[in-house]
């Protein structure tokens, strides 16, 4: 395993811990759970812009920068033997997957919250 992969794993771990350190307390504070399930009628955080969305936006911008830097390196003829190519390849893959997974889960939770709050009005219209 090259030095770029090792450094990338360390950076991914630090960013992951930072994200969890921010999101777990906010989730516990703002998400209303009853009997272990989210009460979408009482939880308003899914219906407005919040810290989770800001983190995702920052992560998406970081991912775009990593992909573009990787593109520059590959265009200039660098191979996977280059530590920078290794670093940006790993970062691009990891954070693209995380960002897409969050987007899908966020859309799902927002649609559930809309359905629970205004489902009868939407169905009757």
């Amino acid at each position: 395993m090259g030095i770029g992969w090792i450094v990338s794993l360390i950076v991914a771990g630090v960013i992951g811990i930072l994200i969890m350190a921010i999101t777990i307390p906010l989730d516990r504070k703002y998400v209303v759970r009853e009997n272990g399930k989210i009460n979408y009628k009482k939880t308003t955080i899914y219906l407005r812009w919040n810290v989770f969305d800001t983190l995702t936006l920052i992560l998406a911008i970081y991912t775009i920068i990593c992909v573009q830097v990787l593109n520059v390196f590959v265009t200039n003829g660098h191979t996977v033997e280059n530590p920078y190519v290794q670093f940006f390849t790993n970062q691009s893959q990891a954070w693209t997957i995380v960002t897409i997974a969050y987007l899908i889960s966020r859309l799902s939770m927002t649609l559930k919250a809309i359905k629970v709050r205004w489902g009868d009005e939407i169905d009757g219209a």
Side-chain angles (χ1 to χ4, degrees):
M1 192 178 291
I3 188 76
W5 291 103
I6 294 169
V7 172
S8 181
L9 289 174
I10 293 169
V11 169
V14 169
I15 292 173
I17 290 170
L18 180 66
I19 290 170
M20 291 298 174
I22 293 170
T23 57
I24 290 173
L26 287 171
D27 181 70
R28 289 184 180 163
K29 183 176 180 181
Y30 293 108
V31 176
V32 178
R33 287 187 169 75
E34 294 175 353
N35 299 326
K37 294 184 178 182
I38 297 174
N39 184 336
Y40 288 101
K41 196 160 193 112
K42 294 181 182 177
T43 302
T44 61
I45 196 165
Y46 298 125
L47 299 174
R48 58 186 167 90
W49 188 267
N50 55 56
V51 175
F52 303 118
D53 300 322
T54 305
L55 282 172
T56 305
L57 180 63
I58 292 168
L59 197 58
I61 292 168
Y62 176 70
T63 305
I64 290 168
I65 291 169
C66 286
V67 169
Q68 293 306 317
V69 172
L70 177 62
N71 187 28
V72 168
F73 276 114
V74 171
T75 302
N76 289 328
H78 296 282
T79 64
V80 75
E81 299 300 321
N82 185 318
Y84 294 110
V85 172
Q86 294 172 6
F87 176 83
F88 288 114
T89 300
N90 197 11
Q91 290 292 295
S92 299
Q93 290 174 348
W95 298 119
T96 299
I97 292 168
V98 169
T99 304
I100 290 171
Y102 178 77
L103 174 67
I104 292 169
S105 68
R106 174 74 164 134
L107 285 173
S108 172
M109 288 184 274
T110 301
L111 291 173
K112 285 179 187 177
I114 290 170
K115 177 104 171 113
V116 167
R117 285 177 171 253
W118 299 291
D120 297 335
E121 296 172 21
I122 294 171
D123 291 337

